[in-house]
């Protein structure tokens, strides 16, 4: 129960008791009634779109898993054993490896079945390994400028990744487990509340993008791109391009989310999710032509174009494809 609900219940209780008081307490009753009406009146929900896709990226920089239903937790989306960006490729010294350094990572899929994780990639044999490996060592890792831990997934997985990426160095896979200390996005992005926690995402637990925004971008490109370029969790249809920029608080099903900031885009958007080839040009150059921030926000986003919105989870629950997206008006 959130603070508003608690206060609303308190006012309701006092209001009912006040009705039993003598006439001399009439002023108090009126004041409480006005307080309930104007301070704690219900939020207004305005329909703004429909959830068209839900995507979980179990492996950071890996291929997305499309699901029809997902649990929305404070740390991100979850479906069965799969949790968004809870597995991470690292170098031997613990530094993260993403599609920025190894573009072919975007072709690697990590799924689960019967308590086993399934690793697949082009021209590679499928490799299965246990979700939980409590006897494996915990490794200290580095994600951007933050320290975080991960459970090593074993030598067999390391050999698979090393062979696949063929970069002349050894790679390992680690898994973030619930008991481990998470990262705090506020350490790198000041707009996030101190209480927020994440595993291996860049900066936040939920990213939302509309189909219309991608369509608008494609109208400016020679070659169309898909939503997969931008690696969102929630894709919304039935709205206009960039409507999501103004959705400060939203409700989907029982889930409520709060918009923290726009998603500043980088060179990773130039990696083709179908080929694993990095162009270092499009669509980033086009986005820079019309999606830069206002001058007042340059200390936050610098020269990164903005595409998609980052959310935190105010109320947990389940999301489904087809759910209506409501904008909450306070």
């Amino acid at each position: 129960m959130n603070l508003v609900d608690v206060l609303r219940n308190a006012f309701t209780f006092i209001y009912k008791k006040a009705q039993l008081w003598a006439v001399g307490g009439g002023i108090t009753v009126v004041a409480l009634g006005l307080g309930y009406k104007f301070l704690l009146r219900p939020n207004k929900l305005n329909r703004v779109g429909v959830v068209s896709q839900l995507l979980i990226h179990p492996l950071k920089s890996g291929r997305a898993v499309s699901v029809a239903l997902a649990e929305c937790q404070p740390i991100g989306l979850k479906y069965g054993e799969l949790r968004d960006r809870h597995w991470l490729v690292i170098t031997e010294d613990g530094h993260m490896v993403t599609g920025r350094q190894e573009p072919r990572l975007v072709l690697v899929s990590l799924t689960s079945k019967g308590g086993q994780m399934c690793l697949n990639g082009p021209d590679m044999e499928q490799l299965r390994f246990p979700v939980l490996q409590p006897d494996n060592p915990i490794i200290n890792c580095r994600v951007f400028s933050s320290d975080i831990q991960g459970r090593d997934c074993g030598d067999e997985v390391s050999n698979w990744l090393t062979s696949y990426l063929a970069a002349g160095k050894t790679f390992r896979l680690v898994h973030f487990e619930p008991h481990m200390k998470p990262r705090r996005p506020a350490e790198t992005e000041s707009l996030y509340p101190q209480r927020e926690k994440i595993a291996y995402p860049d900066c936040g637990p939920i990213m939302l993008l509309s189909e219309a925004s991608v369509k608008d971008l494609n109208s400016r490109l020679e070659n169309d791109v898909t939503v997969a370029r931008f690696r969102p969790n929630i894709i919304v249809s039935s709205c206009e391009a960039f409507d999501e920029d103004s959705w400060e608080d939203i409700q989907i099903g029982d889930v409520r989310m709060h918009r923290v900031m726009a998603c500043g885009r980088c060179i990773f958007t130039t990696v083709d999710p179908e080929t694993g080839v990095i162009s270092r040009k499009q669509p980033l150059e086009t986005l820079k032509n019309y999606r830069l921030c206002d001058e007042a926000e340059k200390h936050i986003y610098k020269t990164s174009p903005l595409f998609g919105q980052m959310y935190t989870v105010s109320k947990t629950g389940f999301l489904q494809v087809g759910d209506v997206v409501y904008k909450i008006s306070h």
Side-chain angles (χ1 to χ4, degrees):
M1 182 178 293
N2 58 35
L3 179 59
V4 171
D5 291 333
V6 171
L7 291 174
R8 183 181 290 115
N9 291 341
F11 267 111
T12 302
F13 176 81
I14 296 172
Y15 183 88
K16 289 180 178 179
K17 291 294 183 182
Q19 290 178 317
L20 302 177
W21 296 347
V23 176
I27 296 176
T28 302
V29 173
V30 171
L32 288 170
L34 289 174
Y36 180 86
K37 179 178 180 181
F38 292 105
L39 296 179
L40 296 177
R41 57 188 173 187
N43 294 318
K44 182 179 180 182
L45 301 180
N46 300 304
R47 178 177 174 142
V48 292
V50 176
V51 175
S52 60
Q53 292 184 67
L54 293 170
L55 300 178
I56 295 178
H57 303 81
L59 173 64
K60 186 175 179 66
S61 288
R63 194 180 290 276
V65 177
S66 180
V67 298
L69 171 75
E71 184 179 355
C72 190
Q73 300 182 329
I75 204 167
L77 296 190
K78 177 180 183 291
Y79 177 78
E81 300 287 355
L82 300 180
R83 295 171 181 261
D84 193 67
R85 294 165 172 96
H86 270 52
W87 283 263
L88 173 72
V89 177
I90 59 171
T91 57
E92 284 192 291
D93 60 1
H95 283 83
M96 73 170 183
V97 178
T98 72
R100 301 169 183 87
Q101 302 87 33
E102 299 293 339
R104 292 180 68 244
L105 261 182
V106 301
L107 305 179
V108 176
S109 67
L110 186 63
T111 56
S112 68
K113 186 176 182 180
Q116 295 276 307
M117 301 303 296
C118 306
L119 196 58
N120 283 282
D123 303 318
M124 298 291 292
E125 291 285 334
Q126 183 186 82
L127 177 65
R128 294 193 175 195
F129 59 95
V131 175
L132 300 176
Q133 302 183 74
D135 295 331
N136 286 5
I138 293 176
I139 298 177
N140 294 319
C141 310
R142 191 82 168 163
V143 175
F144 295 109
S145 58
S146 300
D147 294 323
I148 192 169
Q149 293 180 322
R151 177 82 65 182
D152 185 70
C153 293
D155 291 340
E156 195 173 6
V157 175
S158 174
N159 293 337
W160 191 100
L161 287 168
T162 301
S163 175
Y164 170 73
L165 293 173
K169 51 187 171 183
T170 300
F171 298 99
R172 303 197 73 84
L173 185 69
V174 294
H175 174 210
F176 182 83
E177 298 175 346
H179 63 86
M180 294 177 178
K181 182 180 178 181
R183 288 163 55 229
R184 301 275 182 177
E187 293 177 1
T188 53
E189 296 290 350
S190 60
L191 294 178
Y192 276 91
Q194 288 291 335
R195 67 178 181 276
E196 291 300 322
K197 303 173 184 179
I198 52 174
Y200 303 135
D202 282 7
C203 67
I206 301 289
M207 201 256 282
L208 179 149
L209 180 64
S210 73
E211 291 180 354
S213 297
V214 178
K215 184 177 179 181
D216 180 271
L217 171 61
N218 282 333
S219 71
R220 305 163 191 264
L221 296 172
E222 288 186 15
N223 300 306
D224 286 359
V225 296
T226 66
V227 72
R229 286 268 180 156
F230 308 102
R231 311 181 67 76
N233 301 113
I234 302 171
I235 299 94
V236 179
S237 63
S238 304
C239 65
E240 298 298 319
F242 309 113
D243 276 359
E244 64 267 33
D245 294 359
S246 65
W247 300 343
E248 294 302 312
D249 292 282
I250 59 174
Q251 179 168 324
I252 307 173
D254 292 330
V255 176
R256 290 195 171 192
M257 288 177 276
H258 175 70
R259 190 184 76 88
V260 177
M261 62 188 299
C263 185
R265 296 301 179 168
C266 69
I267 197 72
F268 197 11
T269 59
T270 71
V271 177
D272 187 331
E274 300 303 319
T275 65
V277 174
I278 186 169
S279 71
R280 300 190 177 276
K281 292 184 179 180
Q282 296 295 355
L284 188 61
E285 289 184 356
T286 296
L287 284 171
K288 286 183 176 181
N289 289 334
Y290 76 113
R291 288 294 296 172
L292 293 178
C293 68
D294 295 333
E295 191 68 32
E297 295 181 312
K298 288 212 170 193
H299 67 289
I300 301 172
Y301 302 109
K302 300 179 176 61
T303 61
S304 297
L306 311 180
F307 203 68
Q309 299 295 325
M310 306 301 301
Y311 284 82
T312 55
V313 180
S314 308
K315 182 182 178 185
T316 60
F318 288 87
L319 305 174
Q320 294 188 69
V321 170
D323 278 349
V324 174
V325 180
Y326 294 97
K327 178 180 177 179
I328 303 172
S329 299
H330 297 291

